[in-house]
Amino acid sequence: FTSHKMPYMYSTPLRSLVSKDLTNLFFAGRLASFSHVVYGSQRVMKTCATMGQATGTAAAYAVAHGIAPIELKDHPEAVWSIQQQLLRDDAFIIGKYNADPRDHALAATVTASSERHNSTACSVISGQSRAVVSSTTDVTIGHGGGVPASQAKSGTNRWISEGLPASVSLTLAEPVAVKQVQLVFDTGMHRKLTQSVTKSMME
């Protein structure tokens, strides 16, 4: 067995999770349609879990809008809406950014009590919720994820204060009715994470 590390993460098309023979059936995880070339990395539990989240979101959209799963690929606005919901639910999609018109934070002015030079307060509304490697500069400051520069926003994409106590403020140009406040915390994509108890793999 020889393991070959890919230079970047890759996306899973929604159409590979839809049955080609039935109009109303999704497949997630090991049942999905993949080439043997990528099956080695698609069959692992963490990847299967994200596929389950994606198919669940897509299925809910299809039912709500009366669109057959096999037809979703023919509706760009449907795919966009599904992607936006996944982003709102803290998923990471390569090259896709939060542009939800319901998100008032995107139009806010952001200030903070303190900030690091590479993790400024305005990073919280960059639309990308992860720090991913997109250049050699990012590598040197400890970001991670492995995404081509053309498909990611460089930088931490998160706010880090210089110390505690710390606060961040979002100011809107005019009053709006707020139904929900959602906070997304750093999930550690800049670190190598594993479920293995092997010490050498956890360092």
Side-chain angles (χ1 to χ4, degrees), residues 32-98:
S33 177
F34 304 117
S35 162
H36 70 283
V37 176
V38 298
Y39 193 71
S41 56
Q42 288 283 28
R43 58 185 279 276
V44 296
M45 292 299 102
K46 293 179 183 179
T47 309
C48 290
T50 59
M51 280 188 274
Q53 180 184 4
T55 53
T57 303
Y61 184 95
V63 170
H65 293 82
I67 302 175
I70 200 170
E71 296 175 353
L72 285 172
K73 67 183 186 310
D74 301 321
H75 295 268
E77 73 286 353
V79 175
W80 182 87
S81 295
I82 293 167
Q83 291 172 336
Q84 289 299 308
Q85 185 61 54
L86 286 167
L87 292 173
R88 183 169 184 158
D89 293 337
D90 201 21
F92 174 71
I93 305 174
I94 298 172
K96 304 300 178 183
Y97 312 108
N98 174 26

Side-chain angles (χ1 to χ4, degrees), residues 75-189:
H75 295 268
E77 73 286 353
V79 175
W80 182 87
S81 295
I82 293 167
Q83 291 172 336
Q84 289 299 308
Q85 185 61 54
L86 286 167
L87 292 173
R88 183 169 184 158
D89 293 337
D90 201 21
F92 174 71
I93 305 174
I94 298 172
K96 304 300 178 183
Y97 312 108
N98 174 26
D100 191 335
R102 299 169 297 176
D103 189 348
H104 297 299
L106 297 177
T109 300
V110 188
T111 57
S113 54
S114 66
E115 58 188 22
R116 296 187 182 179
H117 73 281
N118 62 344
S119 301
T120 58
C122 62
S123 298
V124 300
I125 57 172
S126 72
Q128 179 175 292
S129 61
R130 302 290 191 278
V132 292
V133 170
S134 58
S135 70
T136 54
T137 302
D138 286 342
V139 174
T140 60
I141 59 177
H143 300 178
V147 175
S150 62
Q151 293 182 298
K153 294 182 179 181
S154 183
T156 63
N157 292 287
R158 64 185 184 271
W159 164 60
I160 302 176
S161 69
E162 283 289 0
L164 298 175
S167 63
V168 61
S169 301
L170 281 73
T171 305
L172 298 172
E174 55 186 41
V176 296
V178 177
K179 294 183 179 179
Q180 177 182 355
V181 175
Q182 184 172 354
L183 303 176
V184 177
F185 294 93
D186 177 28
T187 53
M189 281 186 70

